[in-house]
Amino acid sequence: MAKLKKQQQRTTGVGQLSLVEHALCPLDSRNSLVENLVYDAEYFYSYGKTRKAALARVFCPLGLSASDELYLWGLLALTMLQPEPESELFATPHWFLRQLGVINQNSKRGGRQYKQFAEAIKRLSAVTYLNDGFYDPVRGEHRRVSFRFFSYSLPVDLKSCRAWRISWDPIFFEMVKDSAGHFRFDLAVYRELDAASRRLFLFVSKILSRRTRVNALRLEHVAVNLLGFSSSLQTREMKAKVSRCLKKLVELHVLADVEIFKTSPGKYFVRLSRGPYFAQKQKHSYAPAPQDSPLFETLQAIGFEDAAAARLINRFPTRVLAEWADITQAAQERFGNEFFHKSPMAYLVDSVSKATEGNRSAPDWWHELNRSERQKHEMNAASEKLFSRIRTELFGGVADSPKAPASNTKVTHISELFKG
């Protein structure tokens, strides 16, 4: 049973219910990895007896890759699987990637996977998401929203042993944390699929967990808004690309029966039916052991033995322990072991004990170090002006008149995008 629980932890992803209704960026990396990318999508929802369209706009100052979504959903899952999920997650990149199944226990630091992870979270942290019909599960209504996914703080030197800090946007995290705002899916299955099939898998994981079939989805909507293919594709090309994604999910038994059918010249629809995959899904309760904590490897790196690290994790609040573990490691790297009167372990235990009682605060030099690391990732002035324009186009209001965007950036007015 313990082995089953541990496997469940490592293969669980968490998706946000409204975000999986549409793509976050184009599938074509030549179009998605340009600076100041602006991506537009729509989807439909029921408002009483009325069918309404939600218009989403995703602003990506550093671009965004469809493969980055693995880290977004995986980081959400690792946050939500903690005993008391908080909006901040502290862990080494090795722990993140091992829990997500990207590397195994024996993988070394500094490899290709670590570089890809660092680049992905850098792009994701810069994204700003706007939507004029986003479902807010806390308030039980559709609302206009604007939020970032997360911010992060990590050492400038990627060879540092200090933990990385992921801090979720408070509005986004509030809606994800609510039980009606997220769903879980099989991350192992997701990881094996191509980018387009991953998006379709998330969508059907949400929709078909509550119903047995979906009778008619417009082919163009599935191809362009849901999967992220170019709207310039011919209908026959869209049909071929969507068919390949459907076939992969049928092979995995996620879908049992699929059909792309025509109702009139040029109008095609997609029909989906739930596969046996959903009947096999089982819910397992998971009570993480201290060894599964994202802080466990950090405490080991400071010098604690396994039993001592486990006692600290059980004894002190996660946020306080994570902060002082980072201060201890930063002091080791910046000042050396002569900084400590006895040892790094003794310094950490003494500091976290007094901080928990409210008798010690973080040193000024550590705050200054964090400020210098944050400044490397702030949005520049050009991106701020472009975002102001995007927000005004979607929500209305008055914005500063920005300079023309870069020639490789396509900024489409909502009125033109959804004309007709």
Side-chain angles (χ1 to χ4, degrees):
M1 179 60 72
K3 183 177 181 180
L4 181 60
K5 289 181 179 179
K6 199 171 186 67
Q7 182 66 15
Q8 177 70 6
Q9 179 208 23
R10 291 178 176 170
T11 60
T12 298
V14 168
Q16 203 288 326
L17 293 176
S18 291
L19 285 181
V20 301
E21 290 279 355
H22 64 85
L24 295 177
C25 66
L27 276 173
D28 187 351
S29 60
R30 293 171 298 180
N31 296 323
S32 66
L33 290 178
V34 296
E35 290 190 356
N36 287 341
L37 167 74
V38 181
Y39 184 73
D40 304 285
E42 71 170 340
Y43 62 94
F44 299 92
Y45 65 91
S46 297
Y47 186 75
K49 296 182 179 180
T50 307
R51 193 73 169 162
K52 302 191 72 171
L55 312 181
R57 176 159 272 193
V58 190
F59 177 40
C60 313
L62 304 178
L64 190 66
S65 168
S67 61
D68 296 342
E69 294 166 19
L70 165 66
Y71 302 107
L72 175 62
W73 309 129
L75 289 174
L76 273 176
L78 295 177
T79 303
M80 300 302 294
L81 281 170
Q82 298 309 306
E84 297 181 4
E86 296 183 353
S87 61
E88 293 192 342
L89 186 63
F90 297 81
T92 64
H94 182 265
W95 184 87
F96 283 127
L97 295 178
R98 185 161 54 83
Q99 294 293 316
L100 295 178
V102 176
I103 62 174
N104 59 37
Q105 183 69 38
N106 300 318
S107 296
K108 302 297 182 182
R109 296 175 183 270
R112 172 176 54 86
Q113 295 90 343
Y114 293 91
K115 182 179 179 181
Q116 290 175 342
F117 180 42
E119 291 173 347
I121 66 168
K122 183 177 181 180
R123 290 190 290 266
L124 285 164
S125 70
V127 169
T128 300
Y129 179 87
L130 302 96
N131 189 321
D132 69 353
F134 196 90
Y135 182 71
D136 182 341
V138 179
R139 294 158 186 83
E141 62 182 9
H142 292 269
R143 297 170 68 91
R144 298 191 301 174
V145 299
S146 171
F147 53 73
R148 305 276 287 272
F149 293 137
F150 57 76
S151 301
Y152 70 89
S153 175
L154 63 152
V156 174
D157 182 3
L158 295 184
K159 295 181 181 179
S160 170
C161 292
R162 290 170 60 201
W164 292 13
R165 175 188 178 192
I166 303 295
S167 181
W168 295 101
D169 180 279
I171 291 178
F172 177 59
F173 186 71
E174 178 190 54
M175 291 187 287
V176 173
K177 187 176 180 180
D178 190 277
S179 59
H182 70 267
F183 66 97
R184 295 187 178 183
F185 62 90
D186 193 326
L187 194 63
V189 173
Y190 176 91
R191 199 168 49 236
E192 296 301 318
L193 296 168
D194 61 90
S197 300
R198 284 177 173 181
R199 288 172 171 174
L200 183 60
F201 173 63
L202 287 188
F203 178 75
V204 301
S205 292
K206 169 195 170 180
I207 297 297
L208 295 182
S209 64
R210 296 177 293 179
R211 63 179 76 172
T212 58
R213 48 192 300 116
V214 178
N215 289 322
L217 294 169
R218 188 161 49 91
L219 175 64
E220 184 180 5
H221 170 73
V222 173
V224 177
N225 289 305
L226 180 58
L227 303 186
F229 289 114
S230 172
S231 59
S232 63
L233 291 175
Q234 298 292 324
T235 300
R236 58 181 174 81
E237 295 176 293
M238 291 185 184
K239 184 179 178 182
K241 290 179 180 293
V242 172
S243 294
R244 282 196 290 270
C245 296
L246 294 170
K247 181 180 178 182
K248 290 181 180 179
L249 296 191
V250 170
E251 292 172 351
L252 292 171
H253 306 294
V254 175
L255 297 174
D257 182 35
V258 298
E259 181 184 6
I260 298 179
F261 59 95
K262 182 168 66 173
T263 58
S264 60
K267 290 189 177 181
Y268 287 85
F269 291 84
V270 180
R271 180 179 291 124
L272 308 174
S273 179
R274 180 198 291 176
Y277 162 83
F278 290 93
Q280 297 170 0
K281 290 177 65 177
Q282 298 180 7
K283 295 183 178 180
H284 302 284
S285 59
Y286 173 69
Q291 291 80 3
D292 298 322
S293 167
L295 291 176
F296 193 75
E297 288 185 0
T298 299
L299 295 174
Q300 285 180 314
I302 291 173
F304 290 97
E305 295 183 352
D306 292 2
R311 284 196 297 271
L312 288 174
I313 291 168
N314 287 327
R315 179 181 174 187
F316 294 109
T318 300
R319 186 184 296 270
V320 177
L321 184 58
E323 180 177 279
W324 282 98
D326 186 64
I327 293 170
T328 303
Q329 287 190 306
Q332 284 180 301
E333 296 178 359
R334 189 171 187 177
F335 307 119
N337 283 335
E338 57 269 21
F339 173 85
F340 306 103
H341 293 299
K342 293 183 179 180
S343 68
M345 293 82 78
Y347 173 81
L348 173 60
V349 172
D350 179 62
S351 297
V352 76
S353 298
K354 291 179 178 177
T356 302
E357 297 169 354
N359 297 325
R360 180 168 295 182
S361 58
D364 291 340
W365 63 263
W366 181 77
H367 287 299
E368 182 58 37
L369 179 62
N370 281 338
R371 278 194 293 270
S372 66
E373 291 172 345
R374 282 197 304 270
Q375 288 171 358
K376 293 176 65 65
H377 313 297
E378 291 180 350
M379 192 184 296
N380 60 36
S383 296
E384 288 279 9
K385 282 195 169 185
L386 180 56
F387 171 64
S388 178
R389 175 179 174 178
I390 293 166
R391 183 173 52 203
T392 302
E393 288 177 1
L394 188 62
F395 294 151
V398 180
D400 297 332
S401 177
K403 297 178 182 179
S407 59
N408 65 349
T409 304
K410 182 180 179 182
V411 180
T412 307
H413 288 268
I414 287 290
S415 58
E416 291 295 322
L417 182 69
F418 299 111
K419 184 179 291 184

